[in-house]
Amino acid sequence: MAYFPPLNLAAITRLAVGFRPGPRINVFLVHLIVGMAILEAASTSPIISRAIPDYTTAEAGNPFVEGWYADPDTEIYDGLYWVYPTSSYAYDEQTYLDAFSSPDLINWTKHPNILTVANVTWATRAVWAPAPISRNGKYYLYFGANDIQEGEPEEGKIGGIGVAVADKPQGPYVDAIGKPLIGEYHNGAQPIDQDVFIDDVDGQAYIYYGGHSHANVAKLNEDMISIGTFDDGTQFKEITPENYVEGSQMIKRNGIYYLMWSEGGWTGPDYSVSYAMSESPLGPFNRVAKILQQDSAVAKGSGHNGVIHIPDTDIWYIVYHRRPLSETDGNHRVLAYDRMYFNDDGTIKPIEMLVKDNFANGEMFDWTTYGGSWSVVDQRLNVAISDTATAVLDTNFTDLVFDATVAITDGNGDAGLVFRATDLSTGADGFKGYYVGFSPAGTVNVLKADAGTWTSLSEASVGVSSGTEYRVRVTAVGSQINVFIGDTADPKITATDGSFVSGATGVGVRSAGAKFGAVSVAKP
């Protein structure tokens, strides 16, 4: 909620009519002026009571935006959270950049084509890894282009790190200098994957960058479009930490400088994020630990990160790209964020990629449906009455704790949770896995689904009514399956079966319509 300074309505009225209020005042004019004053107050007053986004992960689901994107970097402009990613396609198709903004990290607005090669005369392809920052009333976007290789600048090929400028966070951005800001290799570092950081100690701006397993830092001059010089007369200092590959990112917390970077190959499952700590923005940066890596139950290829720090708090999020488990194309990457926590000594705790979806954004980006008509309405995933229908997440959990709300909205069949599901492409009724179904007839049933054959493993009577929402928890550890309803500490029903070890999680119906919410899947 915005804070509006108290309005002196009498003064506004006098302004409207030229004298103190009286019986002959033009009421319409007064209302018009008062309304304009309120709008002006709303547009110029600071936001002082907006809810702080204090989440454990993207509560409305990862990916938090739709589409193939990678290499995100972040900024906060005018009370909005901004994410600037690479458009993740083949190099020759990477000719533009999009951006996304959000007031709450849940609802995101897409800003397409904020920078295109049409506004950068020397860039033709491979426009990568934008890094945003603002200074002196201008917005700057640093980017890599053309993917130049070692020796190519000497052959006359142009590419490297460019800088574009705009009057607004959403652009349009145009080339600021008509050539690369850094167009050659220095200390073996490919000029890509830059991050720009302004130190709060002295206002000095730095650019951290580098591919091909070398990292450099350079000063940026006050104009933000030229490289400065260090006291020793050099312009580029190598700061390569152990195992560095690419993807520089600099943050500062409690006076400590954290250099983050990516390790492994970006097309492979072992892509990951590590970090170093230093008391100086110039290092030395000695590797501390790896903090983000693939999780065989959630996603692979997790890396190349940005960071969002909620102002005036110690709430931090790591924003990164990852590859869905079922994807094999190296360019098929999506954007995600998770909470980043610190230990008492300032070190960063390993990141846990959580699986949640409360549907607060009205979307179902990571869900694949089989049968039925699905939609998100009022923060619930709805399915119209169907013979069989399932919606699943691209996960592969073995042991799990699966929470969700379930409400039957139509029909006399059942609705419930699907887990350890495989062979999903065969259709809504053809998968292999487990299903816990709730029926308005007053039963809960644990079933084994095996390519169209349904076998009841356990059944119990429960007070289930159509139209009523129930909070359900399923735990599956080894061959033991427990089902809890509401806040009960004891399972309502148990079953034992070892037919299926791992697979996808989701929801489904049989001869029913239903709505589902507050989905969370985690390891025990």
Side-chain angles (χ1 to χ4, degrees):
M1 179 181 294
Y3 166 75
F4 303 142
L7 297 177
N8 187 333
L9 297 183
I12 293 171
T13 303
R14 289 193 297 271
L15 175 63
V17 298
F19 53 84
R20 291 188 179 275
R24 300 181 64 182
I25 289 177
N26 185 324
V27 176
F28 172 79
L29 182 58
V30 172
H31 288 177
L32 177 63
I33 296 297
V34 170
M36 292 175 63
I38 291 173
L39 289 175
E40 176 65 15
S43 66
T44 59
S45 300
I47 303 299
I48 66 170
S49 57
R50 177 182 289 169
I52 293 173
D54 188 359
Y55 314 134
T56 58
T57 184
E59 301 286 344
N62 279 320
F64 59 89
V65 296
E66 187 175 23
W68 301 127
Y69 291 99
D71 313 331
D73 202 358
T74 68
E75 263 297 345
I76 301 176
Y77 295 138
D78 301 325
L80 294 178
Y81 305 98
W82 288 79
V83 173
Y84 296 80
T86 299
S87 296
S88 188
Y89 299 99
Y91 289 179
D92 288 341
E93 298 176 42
Q94 292 176 325
T95 58
Y96 66 94
L97 295 172
D98 297 333
F100 298 87
S101 64
S102 173
D104 53 13
L105 301 183
I106 297 296
N107 300 285
W108 294 88
T109 298
K110 180 178 178 179
H111 306 273
N113 297 318
I114 64 166
L115 174 70
T116 72
V117 294
N119 288 327
V120 184
T121 57
W122 55 271
T124 60
R125 63 194 292 268
V127 179
W128 288 343
I133 203 160
S134 177
R135 186 165 230 181
N136 302 325
K138 293 289 186 180
Y139 298 89
Y140 297 92
L141 198 65
Y142 301 79
F143 59 94
N146 296 355
D147 186 33
I148 60 168
Q149 303 298 305
E150 195 161 13
E152 290 184 344
E154 289 77 10
E155 298 172 357
K157 295 184 178 180
I158 299 175
I161 296 171
V163 55
V165 63
D167 294 323
K168 298 179 292 185
Q170 65 269 34
Y173 287 84
V174 296
D175 189 6
I177 57 177
K179 61 181 180 179
L181 175 67
I182 304 173
E184 298 177 344
Y185 279 63
H186 300 278
N187 305 317
Q190 185 186 23
I192 62 168
D193 286 5
Q194 63 294 320
D195 185 41
V196 176
F197 168 79
I198 298 177
D199 198 346
D200 59 0
V201 171
D202 56 8
Q204 177 62 57
Y206 297 93
I207 184 167
Y208 300 82
Y209 77 94
H212 291 177
S213 299
H214 289 275
N216 286 336
V217 61
K219 284 185 175 182
L220 286 170
N221 290 322
E222 180 69 21
D223 62 10
M224 302 297 285
I225 59 173
S226 60
I227 300 295
T229 303
F230 292 105
D231 291 342
D232 61 3
T234 62
Q235 289 190 301
F236 301 93
K237 290 188 177 296
E238 183 166 11
I239 54 170
T240 307
E242 178 187 4
N243 293 349
Y244 177 94
V245 173
E246 60 192 16
S248 301
Q249 175 73 197
M250 171 59 67
I251 64 171
K252 187 178 182 181
R253 176 181 180 269
N254 295 340
I256 300 298
Y257 301 85
Y258 294 76
L259 179 68
M260 310 173 81
W261 66 89
S262 294
E263 300 178 355
W266 70 268
T267 59
D270 61 341
Y271 206 51
S272 54
V273 174
S274 294
Y275 78 103
M277 301 166 64
S278 177
E279 295 181 353
S280 166
L282 305 181
F285 293 106
N286 297 314
R287 185 180 187 273
V288 176
K290 181 180 293 185
I291 55 168
L292 177 67
Q293 57 189 315
Q294 72 167 343
D295 183 334
S296 61
V298 181
K300 55 190 176 183
S302 306
H304 200 130
N305 72 290
V307 173
I308 291 176
H309 174 219
I310 308 303
D312 303 319
T313 75
D314 200 28
I315 298 173
W316 301 75
Y317 298 97
I318 185 168
V319 186
Y320 59 97
H321 74 242
R322 66 193 198 189
R323 191 169 295 106
L325 293 177
S326 63
E327 288 293 340
T328 56
D329 189 321
N331 285 312
H332 285 183
R333 297 172 288 177
V334 296
L335 299 184
Y337 70 82
D338 284 285
R339 187 70 169 263
M340 187 167 72
Y341 298 96
F342 293 81
N343 296 305
D344 291 342
D345 63 359
T347 56
I348 303 174
K349 295 182 179 182
I351 306 299
E352 184 177 1
M353 293 191 293
L354 299 180
V355 177
K356 291 187 177 183
D357 199 340
N358 63 11
F359 306 102
N361 60 356
E363 304 289 353
M364 46 185 296
F365 293 140
D366 199 35
W367 294 82
T368 301
T369 62
Y370 302 91
S373 177
W374 297 82
S375 61
V376 176
V377 180
D378 295 332
Q379 298 188 29
R380 293 296 182 267
L381 178 59
N382 289 256
V383 59
I385 186 169
S386 308
D387 290 339
T388 54
T390 56
V392 297
L393 295 165
D394 194 352
T395 55
N396 189 38
F397 281 88
T398 51
D399 295 346
L400 58 79
V401 178
F402 187 176
D403 291 287
T405 62
V406 180
I408 299 171
T409 58
D410 198 3
N412 297 316
D414 53 40
L417 310 186
V418 175
F419 54 101
R420 294 182 179 172
T422 59
D423 295 347
L424 290 157
S425 61
T426 57
D429 197 35
F431 72 91
K432 296 180 179 180
Y434 298 105
Y435 172 75
V436 175
F438 296 83
S439 167
T443 61
V444 58
N445 207 335
V446 180
L447 298 113
K448 178 173 70 174
D450 192 352
T453 300
W454 296 80
T455 303
S456 178
L457 302 176
S458 185
E459 183 176 331
S461 297
V462 293
V464 176
S465 302
S466 291
T468 302
E469 188 170 79
Y470 298 92
R471 190 164 58 255
V472 179
R473 167 171 288 186
V474 173
T475 64
V477 179
S479 60
Q480 185 73 25
I481 300 170
N482 294 320
V483 182
F484 304 81
I485 302 175
D487 296 325
T488 58
D490 298 321
K492 193 68 178 179
I493 186 172
T494 63
T496 302
D497 187 82
S499 300
F500 307 116
V501 176
S502 64
T505 47
V507 296
V509 296
R510 302 186 307 163
S511 300
K515 59 182 180 180
F516 307 90
V519 171
S520 172
V521 189
K523 298 175 182 177

